[in-house]
Amino acid sequence: SLCREAVLEKKGEEVLLLHTGCGEYFSLGSVGARFWALTAEGQPMSSTVARMLSEFDVEEARLRGDLEALPAELLARGLLELA
């Protein structure tokens, strides 16, 4: 889940995450923002990947790699916390 010190703001197709404690922000482009939205809906990874493959021109292996790396990066930056 989103860290208690993190604020999410949507600007067009982009999602900005701001850590209010340290002032660091992280930008999710259209692919990351779509992943965030589908995850927030509770979609399982297999459904998320299938939907995103139909919406974006990307190879499945690259998409899976990027989607698996994103939560780890957000955890490392303190923007997500394990529930």
Side-chain angles (χ1 to χ4, degrees), residues 15-31:
V15 170
L16 300 174
L17 298 169
L18 172 67
H19 191 292
T20 58
C22 66
E24 182 176 354
Y25 79 93
F26 191 83
S27 174
L28 299 175
S30 59
V31 174

Side-chain angles (χ1 to χ4, degrees), residues 10-15 26-40 45 48-49 51-71 74:
K10 188 166 182 183
K11 293 206 179 236
E13 290 186 12
E14 186 178 29
V15 170
F26 191 83
S27 174
L28 299 175
S30 59
V31 174
R34 184 64 174 141
F35 174 64
W36 185 274
L38 292 171
T39 301
M45 182 63 97
T48 297
V49 168
R51 285 187 65 182
M52 291 182 72
L53 285 172
S54 71
E55 296 173 9
F56 295 96
D57 183 23
V58 63
E59 292 179 11
E60 184 174 352
R62 179 172 181 176
L63 178 64
R64 283 185 181 277
D66 289 350
L67 297 184
E68 289 171 3
L70 181 59
L74 294 176

